[in-house]
Amino acid sequence: MVQQFLPAIGSLFGARILILPLVFLCCSACVSFSSMLVLAFICGFLWDAQHTLGAQGGDPNIYTDPVESLRFGYSIILYAMMGLLMQFIQPLFRKAKWHISSILAGIAIFSYLFTEYLLLNFIRGDFTFPPRVLYRIYLTSALTMLFSPLIFWIIHQLASSCRHNIRYEGLRQKHRYID
Amino acid sequence: MKPQNLIALLLFIVGAVWALTRSERSVRNIQSTYYRAISPFLKGGAAIETKASEFIQEVEHSKALEMKYKLAKEELDQKRMEVAHLRKLEAENTHLNQALKFQENIPFHVLAAKIIRRQPSTWWHTVTIDRGDKHGVGVQLPVLSPEGLVGKIDAPSKDTSTVILLTDEKCQVSAKVEGTPEAGIISGLRDTAEESPSLLLRFLSKDANLKPGMLVFTTGRGGLFPPDILLGTIKTFAPGPLYGEALVEPAVDFTTLQTVFVKIPKPLTSAREIGAATANSTKK
């Protein structure tokens, strides 16, 4: 719901704060692998429900070259990939290196938008990557990243108020943890 | 990998495949349900956003006055504020009169709608309007303004609808250039700037004699848009190996657009019709 009230900033190449992906990323760093997949499915589903465009429509004899769109459901896969990235750095939380997770959240958002734009180019053909697109991706990632400590703090406050212990098990075995 | 994780992964893959293989109709139903659920928040958010923007404008205006007329008397400031307010009301009145005239003069039925949200997604050029199924708004209906074509309805829900703007690459319109036999397909550009967008008119003759400033209108072919709606003016023309392409400056200023008109098959006049449309949209 909060995402609905965050408009694009025209003066920053249309960059915006992506709250839903950020909350998902921060949660991904705090929950188990299976919970992360459930979250990825829900968030990706909601994201696509809001953003997927419909078919071209009109007379196919006139509109002979319809422009394709990304299929409903693609975000579920992209969210899962971002979540996987965050799962690998769970052990850093135990070492109280939350700032690395914040930076990684920014990197994950950058990768997500970059992949999304590449997919768009792939299905529509005619590859273009102007500087303004790079600026938009970069500024969106940077703006979103700035809010990640706040989201992490809220998650921890919620966990402590519910007396829930975040275990940060990650995907790997203990002896393989990144220190 | 733990068995629990493996099961979760398998279930996730099944879920993702299920989502990816949804038909257009199913996706539309999902989107309609989603927008129906969030429309109260959208409308509330739009009202808050309007108030906040008015407040910011007021603050900026006050600051500018304070800097410029530091030594002016309080009474004078008050008068100026009143004049500014009256001018704002006058401008609003002119705008509404234009809209009313437009609505009265066009040869088809239109429904006035207010833009409640701009550019909600990263890559698509879309806006959300405060009219939906229950007002008679349907998918693919043209959206106009007194200046020209704005776009078409992409996803209507009960109370609101998403409009895909002419500046989006996916919004294709059959277009013709005034005073020439040239016709083609116009659409937005993928990397166009929101504040100064350009449109691309393709499939023209490679030796077309087009000059900057020529007007581009809809042809009415293709079953989506009515004929002779202004789209923009030619900026440049570039002949290609097979076809010519022209860059077109849109007639509509999309950044300041506030009220738009949806071309509807016929207006919903009676309360009974509105009730029936509401019931239909609820069933969907």
Side-chain angles (χ1 to χ4, degrees):
Chain A
M1 291 306 148
V2 176
Q3 186 71 64
Q4 308 300 328
F5 306 127
L6 298 171
I9 306 163
S11 54
L12 294 179
F13 300 96
R16 67 181 64 234
I17 299 160
L18 298 176
I19 284 290
L20 182 68
L22 179 63
V23 171
F24 165 72
L25 286 172
C26 294
C27 290
S28 297
C30 303
V31 297
S32 65
F33 178 70
S34 49
S35 307
M36 182 277 288
L37 288 179
V38 172
L39 279 175
F41 186 84
I42 294 168
C43 292
F45 192 89
L46 288 175
W47 193 255
D48 281 353
Q50 185 174 335
H51 295 117
T52 303
L53 293 180
Q56 165 76 47
D59 185 352
N61 293 323
I62 301 295
Y63 300 108
T64 51
D65 191 16
V67 177
E68 294 297 326
S69 261
L70 295 170
R71 272 198 78 83
F72 180 84
Y74 79 96
S75 293
I76 296 171
I77 309 289
L78 290 185
Y79 270 72
M81 286 163 76
M82 285 200 294
L84 207 60
L85 195 68
M86 295 305 282
Q87 285 274 305
F88 281 113
I89 51 98
Q90 277 194 354
L92 293 174
F93 267 93
R94 284 202 308 198
K95 302 279 179 188
K97 292 177 181 172
W98 60 269
H99 46 281
I100 295 176
S101 305
S102 292
I103 293 166
L104 199 68
I107 294 170
I109 296 278
F110 186 94
S111 314
Y112 167 72
L113 292 173
F114 188 72
T115 312
E116 200 173 42
Y117 190 75
L118 288 183
L119 280 173
L120 192 63
N121 270 289
F122 179 72
I123 59 160
R124 289 188 177 175
D126 200 16
F127 184 82
T128 55
F129 199 86
R132 60 174 296 107
V133 169
L134 187 65
Y135 292 143
R136 181 185 292 181
I137 294 174
Y138 166 71
L139 290 168
T140 301
S141 317
L143 278 175
T144 308
M145 188 179 72
L146 288 176
F147 282 83
S148 59
L150 176 70
I151 304 293
F152 277 125
W153 180 79
I154 291 170
I155 289 170
H156 280 89
Q157 290 303 311
L158 278 173
S160 62
S161 65
C162 300
R163 294 182 182 177
H164 172 71
N165 184 28
I166 300 173
R167 288 188 295 176
Y168 306 121
E169 282 179 337
L171 275 176
R172 297 180 178 192
Q173 298 300 317
K174 275 187 178 178
H175 62 277
R176 288 183 187 171
Y177 278 162
I178 306 160
D179 282 326
Chain B
M1 189 181 266
K2 290 177 189 173
Q4 178 197 337
N5 289 348
L6 192 64
I7 292 165
L9 183 64
L10 287 172
L11 286 173
F12 174 80
I13 292 168
V14 170
V17 170
W18 173 82
L20 281 162
T21 50
R22 289 304 82 202
S23 66
E24 177 71 22
R25 193 184 173 83
S26 307
V27 171
R28 287 294 169 196
N29 288 338
I30 290 166
Q31 287 186 303
S32 180
T33 311
Y34 173 80
Y35 276 106
R36 201 180 304 147
I38 67 161
S39 67
F41 297 95
L42 277 182
K43 286 193 167 177
I48 294 168
E49 201 177 312
T50 309
K51 278 183 185 168
S53 126
E54 278 174 5
F55 176 74
I56 290 165
Q57 276 176 5
E58 199 72 28
V59 169
E60 281 173 357
H61 186 60
S62 303
K63 278 183 184 171
L65 279 177
E66 196 183 332
M67 284 173 74
K68 203 170 177 182
Y69 306 106
K70 205 174 177 182
L71 303 171
K73 291 177 184 175
E74 196 179 304
E75 217 172 294
L76 187 63
D77 282 344
Q78 198 180 343
K79 293 284 179 202
R80 279 179 180 161
M81 288 289 281
E82 278 173 15
V83 170
H85 185 62
L86 283 172
R87 277 183 186 159
K88 191 184 155 195
L89 287 175
E90 196 182 13
E92 263 181 29
N93 191 27
T94 312
H95 177 71
L96 287 172
N97 269 333
Q98 278 176 351
L100 194 63
K101 273 182 193 165
F102 173 76
Q103 200 166 3
E104 282 169 356
N105 293 339
I106 48 172
F108 36 76
H109 300 298
V110 289
L111 179 75
K114 194 178 163 193
I115 293 176
I116 55 171
R117 196 168 52 140
R118 289 169 190 278
Q119 192 72 14
S121 65
T122 314
W123 304 119
W124 324 131
H125 293 208
T126 54
V127 293
T128 308
I129 56 169
D130 65 345
R131 302 287 177 181
D133 277 347
K134 80 173 183 189
H135 307 101
V137 175
V139 72
Q140 308 281 10
L141 291 180
V143 181
L144 315 157
S145 81
E147 290 80 32
L149 187 73
V150 172
K152 63 178 180 179
I153 299 289
D154 184 62
S157 65
K158 188 182 164 191
D159 292 311
T160 60
S161 301
T162 306
V163 177
I164 181 163
L165 299 178
L166 183 60
T167 51
D168 194 278
E169 193 182 12
K170 197 171 166 67
C171 185
Q172 294 187 324
V173 184
S174 173
K176 62 184 178 188
V177 184
E178 192 189 35
T180 70
E182 295 301 325
I185 299 289
I186 199 168
S187 65
L189 290 164
R190 198 176 306 165
D191 53 346
T192 193
E194 279 81 19
E195 61 276 12
S196 56
S198 287
L199 309 171
L200 185 66
L201 179 55
R202 294 174 296 149
F203 307 124
L204 299 166
S205 316
K206 58 182 179 182
D207 52 356
N209 184 23
L210 299 186
K211 287 171 187 150
M214 283 180 154
L215 297 173
V216 182
F217 290 93
T218 54
T219 62
R221 296 173 70 204
L224 288 176
F225 304 96
D228 302 319
I229 304 290
L230 184 62
L231 294 166
T233 48
I234 299 281
K235 278 206 288 195
T236 56
F237 172 72
L242 290 172
Y243 301 107
E245 289 183 344
L247 275 181
V248 176
E249 188 175 349
V252 176
D253 182 0
F254 292 92
T255 52
T256 57
L257 205 58
Q258 288 179 339
T259 308
V260 292
F261 298 89
V262 184
K263 180 182 176 287
I264 49 173
K266 64 167 193 159
L268 298 177
T269 45
S270 65
R272 197 176 165 184
E273 277 182 306
I274 294 170
T278 312
N280 280 340
S281 66
T282 316
K283 274 180 198 170
K284 279 179 196 171

